[in-house]
Amino acid sequence: MDRRIVIVGFMGCGKTTVARALATRLECGMLDLDAIISAQQNMSVPDLIKERGEPAFRDIETDTLQIVLDRVTPRIIALGGGAWTLERNRTLINKHECLTVFLDAPFDLCWQRITNHPVPRPLAIDQPGAEKLYRERMPLYALANLRLKVTDQLSADQVAARIVETIQRKT
Ligand code: S3P
């Protein structure tokens, strides 16, 4: 199985750290879409959203995703939390036959990580708003090929190990 693996899920579910751990286990490369966007735009993603607005950020996000998927890129791709929720991005990812993995973390864990993280999330400013967004997005994350429960008892490497096991069982 050498399909590219795209990690999706809400802010704070651990997409980037799990993608890194998975890349180590599978001995392949990984990239973080937000990191590519901020390097290309010379600006952090939160600043991009604050200065240019969310719709402009979403356009840049889709353009960057398209470029990344069209090129020979590292096998593991961690998305920003909103990317998979847009149909146009899901279509692109599915067209490229990537295997999508949803990291299903409870809201409380995501929120705890969001508030403890030094990088601000402009789309998760207060708990009620973030929780509403989380509930709205759940059915969309559930469209991923694989769904993996994440808890605060599991390290990123343990989650990565479970992903590998699940892939071996199901593909
Ligand atoms: C967003 C999630 C962020 C980042 C941006 C928008 C979202 O990425 O892309 O702030 O809409 O959920 P993380 O999920 O890595 O925090």
Side-chain angles (χ1 to χ4, degrees):
M1 209 295 294
D2 53 7
R3 275 163 83 186
R4 278 185 287 185
I5 300 170
V6 174
I7 312 286
V8 310
F10 199 68
M11 293 169 257
C13 72
K15 297 178 292 292
T16 307
T17 42
V18 168
R20 237 180 252 130
L22 190 57
T24 304
R25 277 195 169 260
L26 295 176
E27 297 182 340
C28 64
M30 70 77 73
L31 70 76
D32 179 272
L33 193 67
D34 279 352
I36 304 282
I37 292 170
S38 72
Q40 280 176 350
Q41 300 293 317
N42 213 10
M43 194 187 278
S44 74
V45 165
D47 285 348
L48 197 55
I49 295 175
K50 275 186 251 154
E51 287 192 17
R52 301 210 207 141
E54 189 187 347
F57 165 67
R58 294 298 173 203
D59 287 345
I60 294 168
E61 182 177 54
T62 299
D63 290 347
T64 312
L65 179 64
Q66 171 124 45
I67 292 165
V68 158
L69 291 172
D70 282 344
R71 293 193 184 154
V72 180
T73 44
R75 182 163 163 219
I76 319 283
I77 300 169
L79 297 185
W84 177 253
T85 67
L86 295 189
E87 191 178 2
R88 62 186 192 222
N89 296 337
R90 293 197 298 275
T91 303
L92 263 177
I93 292 164
N94 290 330
K95 200 180 91 191
H96 283 82
E97 298 180 350
C98 300
L99 182 80
T100 43
V101 179
F102 164 34
L103 299 187
D104 183 7
F107 175 75
D108 289 348
L109 177 58
C110 294
W111 182 247
Q112 188 192 326
R113 289 177 178 169
I114 290 168
T115 49
N116 286 338
H117 201 274
V119 176
R121 259 80 163 207
L123 302 182
I125 296 300
D126 60 78
Q127 181 165 352
E131 192 158 4
K132 183 168 173 284
L133 192 61
Y134 176 96
R135 309 257 165 248
E136 284 166 2
R137 286 177 172 182
M138 272 304 118
L140 301 171
Y141 293 136
L143 297 172
N145 301 126
L146 303 178
R147 179 179 190 147
L148 229 117
K149 289 264 177 217
V150 171
T151 70
D152 59 355
Q153 309 297 316
L154 290 172
S155 68
D157 187 52
Q158 286 170 318
V159 176
R162 289 190 183 185
I163 294 174
V164 174
E165 278 165 28
T166 312
I167 291 173
Q168 284 167 347
R169 231 180 319 115
K170 294 202 175 177
T171 57

